[in-house]
């Protein structure tokens, strides 16, 4: 099975109402009058990082990817649980994790370690507290809404390629926690851009039952000549959101298009319909 | 690093108060007047299961191991998040997971999937609601308490070896959820026996600062001639607990010894001190 087939099959199992049909980045759990936001992300050697990567960066990115999911739901982190494969440079992994935890003020709550015989896989569960209700979802973009991103895409791509100016963007991505919390009351839909802007726009449009019309000329990219690649590369962790026309946004953001009623395709790029999510971004598995 | 070294180093990172110093099976999170119990367990190919294993059994055991941790804290499950490596028999994995979820009335809340190039690693986070406060801990055994187990140890070992009568014990272990909830108000310390009775007794004694004196003649074992092995093999998922002398226990349990003030070793087996946890059970990593 590929990832899409697996998730489709998983949807037939008993689902918690807070699972949001497995269509969102996080689960939402209302308990004791509070609302928790819970996410689990994994990173696998060869798929998400290479064996010669600095394990401090791998740990940072594992944390950042999880916190980015909380950010996209407007949640502040409470803590994380770590699923750790022993055997790589564990001391460097712990150093990078420590740095990330202290940077974002997040404590470890628990976890598990395993010895693996092959490549290493790391997992993390992040638990946050929703700062605003309802918790923003991917599903909620309305025709007429503006489409926005919090920053440029393609920086991680350039960093991956060795561009000194963008190494940090690739190795130490920044989860947009403060932005997510500030934006939550103003958005109709929100998610983080982990797998590529166009693919994530397609996904938001798909679950919202609308069309996202993107104007590439105004998409903030790290490299204008390589705009098409920038819009398809992942790992930038900016926030993608829609908000009613004229909404007073509390943080700087770039307007990249407008939501329309569902047309011939979930995504229009410069008016060209993109019906198939293949080749729009990075798809794991 | 081995597992003990890694966890020792992890303890130096920022820890949540509910992490219980990483000395317990679960984290405890009090939120809005409710108390959640959260655990994360992993299973790795070659370490926890062989590549030819029925993936339905692997999924069941992953779920059972997580639910068993909740059971040991007297918590009822709310839901689970799955970290899944694609590429083995995913359909069988889902079938076994589905069966387990329906058996224990537990829904999926979310998760992640990854493509891996080597061996497969699976993770699960289980979230439960504490049925009794304070949430039982490994730390709390008091001199004079009786030491008890909810059932025999060694059944999984015989099942692993192919004994028809015990195949289910190995392939489809049963988390003692109802027993854990019933016992929670009565115990001074509780944990599940996942890595071997003697090793887990040693651990409980260690964190409680006491000595557990075990009388092997009264330990319920699946095979009396192989008693020593039965007490060292893992995967049985019975509950180990201590309770004040004369406590009216709400479920059947086997008294296997008595807690004493810390003596020359954390563990006494038939009065022989066992100071070193090596060779007492199954240690991953």
């Amino acid at each position: 099975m590929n990832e899409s087939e697996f998730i489709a099959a998983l949807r037939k199992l008993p689902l918690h109402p807070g699972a949001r049909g497995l269509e969102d980045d996080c689960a939402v759990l209302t308990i004791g009058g509070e609302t928790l936001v819970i996410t689990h992300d994994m990173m696998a050697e060869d798929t998400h990082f290479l064996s010669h990567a600095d394990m401090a960066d791998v740990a940072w990115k594992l944390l950042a990817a999880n916190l980015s999911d909380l950010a996209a739901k407007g949640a502040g982190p409470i803590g994380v649980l770590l699923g750790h494969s022993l055997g790589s440079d564990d001391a460097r992994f712990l150093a990078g994790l420590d740095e990330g935890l202290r940077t974002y003020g997040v404590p470890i709550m628990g976890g598990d370690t395993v010895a693996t015989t092959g490549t290493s896989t790391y997992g993390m569960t992040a638990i946050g507290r929703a700062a605003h209700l309802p918790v923003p979802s991917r599903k909620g973009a309305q025709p007429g809404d503006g489409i926005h991103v919090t920053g440029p895409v393609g920086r991680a791509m350039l960093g991956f390629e060795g561009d000194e100016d963008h190494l940090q963007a690739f190795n130490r991505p920044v989860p947009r926690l403060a932005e997510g919390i500030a934006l939550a009351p103003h958005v109709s839909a929100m998610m983080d851009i982990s797998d590529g802007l166009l693919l994530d726009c397609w996904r938001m449009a798909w679950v919202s039952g609308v069309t996202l019309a993107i104007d590439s000329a105004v998409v903030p990219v790290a490299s204008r000549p390589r705009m098409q690649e920038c819009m398809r590369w992942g790992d930038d962790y900016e926030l993608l959101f829609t908000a009613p026309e004229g909404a007073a946004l509390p943080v700087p953001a770039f307007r990249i298009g407008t939501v329309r009623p569902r047309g011939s395709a979930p995504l229009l790029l410069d008016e060209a319909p993109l019906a198939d999510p293949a080749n729009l971004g990075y798809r794991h598995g």
Side-chain angles (χ1 to χ4, degrees), chain A:
Chain A
M1 292 189 187
N2 64 28
E3 182 173 25
S4 305
E5 290 163 348
F6 185 82
I7 293 173
L10 195 60
R11 285 199 183 101
K12 294 178 184 157
L13 272 54
L15 296 188
H16 191 279
R20 296 183 156 188
L22 304 180
E23 290 180 332
D24 214 327
D25 309 274
C26 296
V28 175
L29 177 64
T30 303
I31 184 132
E34 295 261 11
T35 299
L36 297 181
V37 174
I38 307 166
T39 185
H40 181 75
D41 265 3
M42 300 172 87
M43 287 179 67
E45 190 176 330
D46 294 343
T47 303
H48 299 84
F49 63 93
L50 300 174
S51 58
H52 58 71
D54 181 347
M55 294 308 293
D57 292 338
V58 172
W60 176 287
K61 289 175 81 165
L62 179 66
L63 176 65
N66 275 277
L67 297 183
S68 180
D69 282 334
L70 296 186
K73 305 298 111 181
I78 292 174
V80 296
L81 291 89
L82 171 67
H84 186 79
S85 294
L86 292 164
S88 298
D89 190 337
D90 295 318
R92 285 294 299 160
F93 186 95
L94 285 167
L97 182 61
D98 191 33
E99 211 179 325
L101 293 172
R102 292 180 194 280
T103 299
Y104 299 107
V106 183
I108 296 266
M109 298 182 73
D112 194 18
T113 62
V114 291
T116 53
T117 56
T119 51
S120 295
T121 304
Y122 304 95
M124 184 173 279
T125 299
I127 300 175
R129 186 184 276 106
H132 177 80
L133 297 181
V135 174
S137 148
R138 293 182 178 194
K139 191 174 184 166
Q142 299 291 328
D145 286 351
I147 307 166
H148 309 261
V149 292
T150 50
V153 292
R155 296 193 304 142
M157 175 184 81
L158 297 180
F160 173 75
E161 292 172 354
D163 183 326
E164 295 282 342
D165 292 341
H166 296 286
L167 276 181
Q168 283 295 96
F170 179 72
N171 289 326
R172 299 290 174 114
V174 173
R176 305 297 178 198
L177 284 163
E179 292 86 342
I181 290 173
L183 285 165
H186 303 275
V187 305
S188 50
M190 186 155 62
M191 64 189 292
D192 68 330
I193 308 172
S194 52
D195 294 340
L197 174 65
L198 294 183
L199 178 56
D200 287 329
C201 281
W202 190 96
R203 289 167 168 165
M204 180 181 279
W206 179 258
V207 297
S208 295
V210 296
T211 289
L212 264 59
I214 308 295
D215 177 3
S216 67
V218 295
V219 172
V221 288
S223 166
R224 185 57 55 189
R226 298 177 63 191
M227 184 181 69
Q228 293 294 329
E229 288 166 274
C230 288
M231 292 191 299
R232 285 168 171 82
W233 231 83
D235 283 346
D236 281 308
Y237 300 108
E238 297 291 347
L239 297 176
L240 165 69
F241 64 94
T242 57
E245 189 69 50
L249 299 177
V251 298
F254 300 82
R255 169 89 181 248
I256 62 168
T258 301
V259 181
R260 299 184 188 168
R262 172 65 61 79
S264 62
L267 187 62
L268 291 177
L269 181 63
D270 303 330
E271 300 302 333
L274 297 172
D276 183 354
N279 306 317
L280 292 183
Y282 185 72
R283 300 214 290 169
H284 311 282

